[in-house]
Amino acid sequence: MVRPRTVYADRSRPALVNGFTRNTFIAMIESVREDALSAGLMTPSDWARGIADLHRTATGDGAFHYTFFKGLAVNPPSR
């Protein structure tokens, strides 16, 4: 079974803006900068622009919406 899970954060949810958007999601993305650049996935200027846009989602007029999927698998008993 697979179900979507959503995180939405804007100024009406400051704990999510800080805890999820800034301290989890943006921090996770920023931590792979060197890997992404060395793999040639983007240029340094594209990276900087993308990170700046991500930081804007955590400002007063920003909004962050993230959907991920949670799956549950069951291993049937062997016979």
Side-chain angles (χ1 to χ4, degrees), residues 16-51:
L16 275 176
V17 170
N18 219 24
F20 186 81
T21 306
R22 283 191 183 109
N23 297 334
T24 302
F25 195 85
I26 294 174
M28 177 181 66
I29 300 302
E30 287 178 326
S31 75
V32 299
R33 180 185 187 277
E34 293 308 315
D35 292 336
L37 295 179
S38 66
L41 298 175
M42 60 182 43
T43 66
S45 63
D46 287 339
W47 177 271
R49 190 170 42 257
I51 289 297

Side-chain angles (χ1 to χ4, degrees), residues 59-76:
T59 63
D61 65 344
F64 182 84
H65 184 212
Y66 180 71
T67 301
F68 61 98
F69 295 87
K70 181 179 180 181
L72 174 68
V74 177
N75 189 6

